[in-house]
Amino acid sequence: MAEQPGISFGHRGNSAGQATRCYRYVLELSRYTSYHEIDCPSVATPPVPTASPIPRLPDDGRERLAAALRTATTDTLAGAVRAAFPEKHITVDTVTHKGALVAAVGVPAERDCVVLVRTPSGAIESPGYDRVWLEPGEMGCRTGLYVSPPR
């Protein structure tokens, strides 16, 4: 392969020679970069990599959780909430507390969290909590944000 210098900063270029090994790097914010060897592409100019979508709660997450709480009983709460959020990257935590059904669903790595409570009267409430409690080393997206919040 002939040498092709980059035109300016950020443009791809290559030195003379031939690639004999190819690698895929996974770059994630605030995490270690990982890599593994892959088969080299058969095309002269491989496609530019694209970022994977960031895992997050669905746009209708609050509505899904409210619907699950409306129909759930003490015995079916955990199953109903997990059925509403089957995605593997979403955590589910449920508990019955003083007659209320409490559920927390979230994506911990992204600090994305929804906590809803169905009161004994049947009302669906969204208790407030300090977003700092979602940070690593803190409580995370758990029913404890409502049941036993940090003091």
Side-chain angles (χ1 to χ4, degrees):
M1 180 177 281
E3 181 174 359
Q4 294 177 331
I7 298 168
S8 66
F9 180 77
H11 282 101
R12 292 187 300 194
N14 62 283
S15 58
Q18 182 177 6
T20 56
R21 288 186 161 171
C22 296
Y23 295 88
R24 173 166 290 126
Y25 288 85
V26 178
L27 307 171
E28 295 180 282
L29 185 63
S30 301
R31 294 176 177 92
Y32 290 107
T33 300
S34 63
Y35 65 93
H36 61 276
E37 191 168 346
I38 61 170
D39 292 332
C40 291
S42 59
V43 295
T45 305
V48 175
T50 57
S52 299
I54 295 172
R56 63 187 193 101
L57 287 172
D59 292 337
D60 66 343
R62 185 171 298 278
E63 292 78 19
R64 280 193 208 182
L65 185 55
L69 283 172
R70 277 189 201 95
T71 60
T73 65
T74 302
D75 296 330
T76 64
L77 177 61
V81 175
R82 177 45 77 191
F85 296 92
E87 300 90 344
K88 292 184 190 245
H89 65 274
I90 296 177
T91 61
V92 170
D93 187 34
T94 60
V95 69
T96 302
H97 177 69
K98 297 181 181 178
L101 301 180
V102 184
V105 295
V107 180
E110 302 304 325
R111 293 149 192 90
D112 198 3
C113 183
V114 174
V115 179
L116 292 180
V117 178
R118 188 181 86 195
T119 64
S121 68
I124 304 292
E125 297 178 354
S126 178
Y129 58 86
D130 189 336
R131 304 270 314 155
V132 170
W133 298 339
L134 299 176
E135 296 293 325
E138 298 295 333
M139 181 172 278
C141 186
R142 310 289 300 170
T143 55
L145 292 169
Y146 172 76
V147 175
S148 56
R151 302 275 177 223

